[in-house]
Amino acid sequence: MSTDVSNLCVLLVENLYGELTSRIFRFLLRDGRLSTPALRYHTGLSLRQVQHGLSVLVQQQLVFWYTSAEDSTVYEANTTVAYNLIRAGKYVQLAEEQLGNFAAVTVSNLLLLGHARVGDLVQAYGLDRTEGTNDPAAIVTQPSIKSIYNGSINTDIFSDKNRISLASVHMTLRELLRVGFVSLANESYFRSEADNRTEAGKVVPPPEHFRAKSKRDNEAQRETAIQEKLEEWKYGTRAEKEQYAPIVNGKKRQLDDSESLQAEKRRRLLLPPNGHALSARTAVNTSKLEGTNALNNDLVLCINHDKFAVALRNRGLTALADEAICKSTSNIYAEVLRKLETNTRACKESSDVPDIGDGPELGDLPYVSTDELVNVIKNSEELSETLGKVEGNSGNATELEHPKKRRKKKELESDDEALVVGDASPDEEEEDESDSEDGDESSDSEQANGDAEYSLNSHPKAPEDTHRRFIRDHLLLLAKHPHPFLQHMTETPVLPERWTIYYPPLMKSIIHHVLLQIITTRYGQPAARLTRLLSERGKVDEKNLCSLSLLNQKSMRSYLTTLHKSGMIQLQEIPRDNSRNPQRTLYLWYFDAERCRVKILQETYKTMVRCLQRVRVEGDKVKGTLEKASRTDVIGREEEFLGVQEREALEKWRQVEERIWGELGRLDELVGILRDF
Amino acid sequence: MPPSAKARQGPRVKKEGKGDLYRIGGVDIPYDPELELDNKPKPTPLFPEYKVPTARPLTAREKDQIAKFRSLRDSIHNGPLYTVLGDNARVGKSGNKPAASFNPFEGMPKYSQRYTKKRRTIPKLDTRPYVLKFFPRELWSTLDPTATETNGVIDSSTKGKSLQIPGYEKFNDIDADMSGDEGEEKGPKDPDEDDPLEGEEVDDEFDDDDDGGDYNAEQYFDDGGDDAGDDYDGGGDDGGGDYF
């Protein structure tokens, strides 16, 4: 953990939870795991202060704790959650966009409260579980909101919801659970990864218990058992996972299938252990809530950061698709992502799976079929307008391409026919194919392109056919983009045409793109060109690079030196003989994307730290005025009590703060791309 | 002497026939001694012209996001968990004495202090129920003095408390005061609250001042009450916010 990250986390904790908490947090980050007496010693706080501070930190899940056998408890900073504090605004916004106002309020309350019991949460809204839904007492009116100058300007999240009912609270919580923004707290969430493993090791029986042939097999079996246990703690019990499995694997999943499974799971979550058996269907479909349908009051909810990261990634991908292709394509892409989101628990989940080749395993990923999308997306007019049509026979993209590339692609094609690996030509042909097939009314005679492989595409052609074609065109566009936005799986006798996203290569290509973008803005276009050349060619000699980059040696050297100095590219020296004479040494330049990524990530953290420090400095400038504005007699009567200059200063401060936090949000997006997604 | 010196001066720098190579006594010199030095290149400027890159203006979405973050932050700050140690906090063993860190300009008790937001030096934990099983055992007594070390599920003694969510307080609380600080005053006073400047005592003093105050005797701020604002709006650029 670098200093910058820990500084950043400490600053964030301080910004939100105050000085006592951040002081403890800082020492936990600096010194690693500490027990209460040790913390007391290091921080110089009183025992009472330490205990109170730790309670807050545990409540907000900002520290892990672990009580070992000797009955001493140690605490450890949880940097993930601490970092995610910066995303709080995004979380609330995402919840609002996807699930509406009240969900946003609930998410923000959960962020405020750390973890909370359902029963307490319901009570906090002024509702009692025992009260009937239609009881007028169960409806709480919203207090009018106070002041502009105290940051309560943004009360829009409360605005429509003047009245809430028990049913709506439970509804929202269920929805949040279903989407995954909120998860059920487990004790393992409060332990660090290593401690979780230790605990799992205690629970799982010793290797002798497994009756495998050899000792090694025993160990292996135990290892899998431990992994299972960890998984179980993280995502719920085994029974739940079993029901989850078909969805995750995407083998036999149909739309209805997944729905019912979801409902099944939800029902189990929602019902108290002794609850009446309610059919899964009704659990989904009943929009109005009966008593049995409510969440069990003893469930403890907390924010699920992993799922929010997935949602943020989807948002980022949609934005990128918009930037790279066009708005309506990105809309369709957003739809695909939304479909797949349900089955994605965490961003990095699939990367644990040892390298899925782009072979038939691709089918194991969750997928969306074209038909599902066609059903979801309604208006096709806009879609048709955004894609240009190729006239006549010139639609064969392979002809327009570089001969070398074409050859390469042909090889690829012959390698695996069924699967399209985000490459241009097969898709292109397919697109033409689909055009010629579906678009009879457009009377393009493209039979020349006819290919036996694709004539499988013989779905019932209803009036919505053109609609389907447009959507397909957009999807193909996505699949053949240099960033492999989508993976296309053609129709098989059993399965319909499907689309999936294989994240590792996609994220890799996006990271590369982002790195190059940063290099371009920092060091100029030629520097970016050099970097791109290096990443394509591997290690290149200076002379070669000179001829490849079409730059004269002098200017090329200046670019290379700047890049090298800032750590974007590296230099390798290979002596030709033992003397290590510089003149007899080869100098090879190369670009290590991973190293560059880490470098830029660290720089980003540093920038974020600087931003937060700047916020504080700017705040100190208007400290007196801020204090005055927060006085209880001033709140609500700013016009009367604050002078013109003071009001101006406050307004200016608000703008400055907004800009800095906006910048932080953007930097966080960058961190998301480089680290989390 | 002179002839020898002259002889030494003469062939000191010699241009050889080939290229622009200069030599002194057969040794190459790396610069051109006959170079015109009048229009020599200037050193690179210390502070070159630099175009400060400016960020794109924030989009509506980003602004919304920040607004949400701020409102969340404000509710955390107004909530029971936010703490400010401040200058008066005793940190470290020796601890600086309050008198040493006293600010004679800002630190004097003022009437308006009565309205300032009271910051906690220690989080107030007894406002809400906790799920004790998620806390280490050693913190249970901190969270809830009545907690029994049974199973970690809330026992009945804590049931009386309920979560406070800003905006959803009970009616009477809202009517009384919206600041949320009132709740603190109403609640049981913390026994070892160790902040010398805070608390009711200061307020009481001011109340006394208010009743038979010596400031009022001076009649300097005679129409202090309602016209204070106007007074302030008129000229007040000195003295910050202290009007009486």
Side-chain angles (χ1 to χ4, degrees):
Chain A
M1 165 127 322
S2 74
T3 6
D4 294 323
V5 196
S6 43
N7 279 343
L8 178 63
C9 291
V10 171
L11 280 169
L12 281 170
V13 172
E14 177 169 351
N15 200 304
L16 285 174
Y17 295 103
E19 289 169 14
L20 175 67
T21 338
S22 74
R23 191 177 173 84
I24 295 171
F25 195 78
R26 181 165 65 229
F27 281 95
L28 282 176
L29 270 176
R30 204 194 68 179
D31 299 336
R33 292 155 74 97
L34 291 176
S35 64
T36 324
L39 259 179
R40 226 187 117 185
Y41 172 76
H42 284 291
T43 54
L45 297 166
S46 73
L47 179 63
R48 187 163 163 270
Q49 279 175 317
V50 169
Q51 281 175 337
H52 275 70
L54 280 174
S55 306
V56 174
L57 287 167
V58 173
Q59 176 65 33
Q60 304 295 339
Q61 292 187 31
L62 289 167
V63 295
F64 295 122
W65 59 271
Y66 182 65
T67 308
S68 57
E70 300 89 61
D71 213 35
S72 70
T73 308
V74 281
Y75 301 87
E76 194 177 339
N78 182 351
T79 41
T80 333
V81 173
Y83 176 81
N84 282 338
L85 289 176
I86 211 171
R87 297 189 177 152
K90 291 181 185 169
Y91 288 0
V92 180
Q93 197 179 41
L94 276 171
E96 188 181 19
E97 279 170 8
Q98 298 199 3
L99 301 169
N101 256 337
F102 190 64
V105 178
T106 313
V107 165
S108 116
N109 284 333
L110 269 175
L111 283 166
L112 171 67
L113 298 167
H115 58 268
R117 273 175 73 241
V118 173
D120 295 333
L121 207 57
V122 170
Q123 228 174 29
Y125 285 111
L127 302 162
D128 211 325
R129 174 98 173 66
T130 51
E131 285 170 32
T133 327
N134 297 324
D135 193 340
I139 290 170
V140 174
T141 42
Q142 189 65 43
S144 61
I145 300 299
K146 1 180 184 171
S147 115
I148 302 177
Y149 296 96
N150 284 287
S152 317
I153 189 169
N154 35 20
T155 48
D156 51 325
I157 52 169
F158 292 108
S159 56
D160 320 349
K161 286 279 167 188
N162 304 7
R163 34 184 50 211
I164 48 165
S165 64
L166 184 65
S168 68
V169 173
H170 278 281
M171 259 304 262
T172 314
L173 290 177
R174 283 192 327 171
E175 278 298 300
L176 283 169
L177 269 172
R178 186 181 60 77
V179 175
F181 285 166
V182 162
S183 62
L184 301 178
N186 187 294
E187 278 167 62
S188 70
Y189 292 1
F190 296 85
R191 285 192 294 255
S192 67
E193 231 167 85
D195 291 332
N196 266 332
R197 230 201 103 84
T198 322
E199 273 301 290
K202 281 183 195 166
V203 178
V204 172
E208 295 80 44
H209 177 82
F210 299 95
R211 304 217 170 89
K213 282 168 201 155
S214 65
K215 204 176 170 188
R216 238 178 100 191
D217 283 358
N218 268 339
E219 290 287 344
Q221 280 191 11
R222 184 159 186 270
E223 183 58 39
T224 44
I226 289 177
Q227 291 304 334
E228 265 172 30
K229 194 82 203 162
L230 290 176
E231 184 96 331
E232 204 174 272
W233 279 340
K234 200 164 183 192
Y235 298 116
T237 61
R238 188 167 293 151
E240 203 173 295
K241 212 179 127 221
E242 270 164 22
Q243 279 176 325
Y244 233 48
I247 307 173
V248 174
N249 293 339
K251 272 266 157 55
K252 298 167 201 158
R253 200 189 65 117
Q254 295 296 322
L255 185 62
D256 301 39
D257 208 19
S258 84
E259 280 288 314
S260 67
L261 275 166
Q262 285 286 346
E264 193 80 29
K265 184 187 164 235
R266 207 184 314 164
R267 186 171 59 89
R268 254 178 319 90
L269 292 178
L270 310 182
L271 289 179
N274 53 355
H276 308 291
L278 201 74
S279 93
R281 276 282 156 212
T282 43
V284 192
N285 295 334
T286 44
S287 53
K288 54 176 183 281
L289 190 87
E290 274 90 41
T292 45
N293 222 353
L295 283 166
N296 188 347
N297 266 354
D298 282 331
L299 293 176
V300 181
L301 302 178
C302 63
I303 293 288
N304 184 0
H305 294 280
D306 285 349
K307 194 69 189 195
F308 272 113
V310 172
L312 282 174
R313 174 175 70 180
N314 288 352
R315 188 198 252 190
L317 283 175
T318 316
L320 189 69
D322 182 16
E323 195 183 299
I325 305 174
C326 70
K327 188 78 196 160
S328 43
T329 312
S330 79
N331 285 342
I332 291 181
Y333 195 48
E335 213 55 60
V336 177
L337 287 166
R338 200 168 304 145
K339 287 268 173 203
L340 292 174
E341 191 181 295
T342 6
N343 300 321
T344 322
R345 289 186 297 198
C347 286
K348 286 283 170 72
E349 193 179 31
S350 50
S351 64
D352 301 336
V353 181
D355 204 30
I356 305 177
D358 35 12
E361 287 96 330
L362 205 57
D364 293 342
L365 297 170
Y367 62 84
V368 183
S369 72
T370 318
D371 301 320
E372 279 178 56
L373 290 169
V374 170
N375 289 334
V376 173
I377 300 162
K378 294 288 178 253
N379 58 332
S380 67
E381 280 176 27
E382 190 207 346
L383 301 180
S384 62
E385 278 164 15
T386 44
L387 280 189
K389 285 218 34 118
V390 188
E391 286 297 322
N393 232 351
S394 62
N396 199 344
T398 31
E399 283 173 8
L400 302 172
E401 271 175 6
H402 196 268
K404 250 191 195 168
K405 225 176 165 185
R406 210 189 305 168
R407 208 182 312 138
K408 200 173 142 201
K409 267 175 193 155
K410 274 194 183 136
E411 282 165 23
L412 241 169
E413 237 175 305
S414 58
D415 269 357
D416 50 358
E417 309 232 322
L419 191 81
V420 175
V421 204
D423 233 333
S425 72
D427 290 329
E428 188 61 49
E429 275 177 26
E430 204 173 1
E431 190 175 16
D432 298 336
E433 181 59 29
S434 74
D435 280 354
S436 69
E437 231 179 290
D438 307 3
D440 284 343
E441 65 276 2
S442 65
S443 76
D444 283 340
S445 58
E446 292 182 340
Q447 269 80 16
N449 285 341
D451 197 6
E453 193 195 328
Y454 299 114
S455 57
L456 283 166
N457 190 1
S458 55
H459 266 279
K461 291 194 174 61
E464 60 164 2
D465 222 4
T466 48
H467 178 52
R468 181 188 160 86
R469 196 188 69 210
F470 288 136
I471 289 174
R472 238 180 127 256
D473 285 353
H474 280 282
L475 288 172
L476 285 167
L477 201 60
L478 282 165
K480 100 189 136 179
H481 195 267
H483 297 309
F485 282 120
L486 276 181
Q487 307 284 343
H488 183 214
M489 290 186 282
T490 44
E491 203 174 4
T492 64
V494 192
L495 292 163
E497 187 182 38
R498 289 156 301 153
W499 308 88
T500 182
I501 303 174
Y502 185 40
Y503 286 106
L506 171 60
M507 288 329 290
K508 203 176 157 199
S509 116
I510 288 177
I511 286 175
H512 194 84
H513 172 72
V514 167
L515 292 181
L516 278 175
Q517 236 176 7
I518 291 171
I519 288 173
T520 314
T521 44
R522 280 194 198 164
Y523 311 107
Q525 199 68 48
R529 173 144 49 111
L530 285 168
T531 320
R532 211 175 303 128
L533 264 174
L534 286 174
S535 72
E536 247 170 52
R537 300 284 166 133
K539 298 188 175 174
V540 184
D541 185 23
E542 194 182 87
K543 250 184 199 157
N544 263 329
L545 194 60
C546 192
S547 62
L548 280 171
S549 64
L550 306 176
L551 289 168
N552 67 19
Q553 201 181 26
K554 213 174 158 191
S555 63
M556 187 194 74
R557 274 188 180 159
S558 76
Y559 284 119
L560 284 177
T561 337
T562 3
L563 283 171
H564 184 55
K565 245 161 76 185
S566 54
M568 300 294 134
I569 61 173
Q570 272 76 39
L571 182 64
Q572 186 182 18
E573 299 176 18
I574 304 173
R576 278 189 250 191
D577 50 22
N578 280 339
S579 66
R580 292 197 166 263
N581 184 352
Q583 284 174 343
R584 306 271 307 147
T585 307
L586 282 175
Y587 292 95
L588 299 179
W589 295 97
Y590 66 99
F591 171 67
D592 185 345
E594 178 59 21
R595 225 188 255 192
C596 184
R597 181 188 73 89
V598 173
K599 171 89 183 154
I600 288 183
L601 191 59
Q602 294 306 331
E603 285 172 8
T604 318
Y605 287 141
K606 191 158 200 158
T607 320
M608 291 168 101
V609 172
R610 297 282 176 269
C611 281
L612 282 171
Q613 286 167 342
R614 175 46 59 180
V615 170
R616 192 193 284 171
V617 171
E618 294 288 335
D620 281 347
K621 280 187 196 164
V622 286
K623 200 175 172 193
T625 321
L626 276 178
E627 259 168 27
K628 187 176 173 189
S630 70
R631 265 167 38 185
T632 49
D633 59 335
V634 178
I635 289 173
R637 289 193 289 173
E638 281 83 4
E639 297 292 321
E640 192 182 331
F641 279 120
L642 295 180
V644 183
Q645 285 172 343
E646 280 174 317
R647 268 179 280 159
E648 269 172 15
L650 276 178
E651 194 43 49
K652 198 179 152 212
W653 150 245
R654 285 188 66 78
Q655 276 169 9
V656 166
E657 203 203 6
E658 186 177 67
R659 266 173 56 197
I660 297 179
W661 276 100
E663 201 52 42
L664 276 167
R666 285 173 187 173
L667 289 167
D668 167 56
E669 269 165 39
L670 183 61
V671 170
I673 290 171
L674 293 180
R675 189 190 65 178
D676 296 336
F677 300 161
Chain B
M1 290 294 276
S4 65
K6 206 178 178 184
R8 231 183 276 158
Q9 273 172 358
R12 205 173 196 177
V13 175
K14 190 167 75 183
K15 190 172 182 181
E16 306 267 308
K18 42 185 175 180
D20 43 6
L21 196 66
Y22 290 87
R23 290 189 163 185
I24 298 177
V27 179
D28 293 349
I29 52 169
Y31 56 89
D32 184 359
E34 288 170 11
L35 193 69
E36 191 65 52
L37 291 178
D38 286 340
N39 49 0
K40 58 184 171 189
K42 286 170 196 154
T44 47
L46 258 185
F47 301 105
E49 279 289 307
Y50 177 61
K51 207 177 160 201
V52 183
T54 41
R56 282 169 289 131
L58 297 178
T59 61
R61 192 185 227 183
E62 279 170 323
K63 281 189 177 163
D64 179 46
Q65 201 163 281
I66 294 159
K68 283 180 171 133
F69 176 78
R70 275 178 175 171
S71 83
L72 175 68
R73 191 183 56 188
D74 285 339
S75 40
I76 291 175
H77 285 194
N78 292 330
L81 303 185
Y82 185 67
T83 47
V84 174
L85 291 177
D87 299 332
N88 297 321
R90 193 165 47 86
V91 170
K93 272 181 190 133
S94 55
N96 39 0
K97 295 191 178 87
S101 62
F102 180 75
N103 180 353
F105 298 103
E106 304 281 329
M108 282 303 285
K110 287 181 286 194
Y111 176 75
S112 57
Q113 242 173 13
R114 154 198 195 102
Y115 297 113
T116 48
K117 219 181 227 176
K118 292 187 182 62
R119 293 298 188 190
R120 290 186 183 80
T121 51
I122 199 152
K124 189 172 168 59
L125 294 171
D126 54 357
T127 51
R128 55 165 289 185
Y130 295 92
V131 186
L132 289 182
K133 73 171 173 180
F134 291 138
F135 289 90
R137 214 159 264 259
E138 64 179 27
L139 291 182
W140 285 11
S141 59
T142 313
L143 293 168
D144 186 1
T146 58
T148 50
E149 298 204 359
T150 46
N151 50 4
V153 184
I154 310 270
D155 56 344
S156 56
S157 61
T158 54
K159 279 282 186 195
K161 291 161 189 166
S162 63
L163 290 182
Q164 300 285 319
I165 293 176
Y168 290 96
E169 292 101 348
K170 301 270 191 289
F171 283 110
N172 42 6
D173 288 358
I174 296 158
D175 290 340
D177 192 356
M178 309 226 301
S179 68
D181 278 323
E182 208 71 8
E184 189 197 20
E185 283 169 28
K186 271 185 211 161
K189 186 79 184 151
D190 233 334
D192 16 315
E193 189 82 61
D194 45 7
D195 200 334
L197 272 178
E198 259 180 43
E200 264 89 33
E201 288 175 33
V202 180
D203 287 352
D204 290 347
E205 275 174 33
F206 276 113
D207 286 342
D208 293 341
D209 281 351
D210 227 6
D211 294 333
D214 33 18
Y215 279 131
N216 278 348
E218 278 178 49
Q219 293 297 311
Y220 187 66
F221 296 100
D222 42 2
D223 49 354
D226 287 329
D227 299 353
D230 306 339
D231 201 20
Y232 189 73
D233 274 339
D237 47 347
D238 59 338
D242 44 347
Y243 48 87
F244 296 116

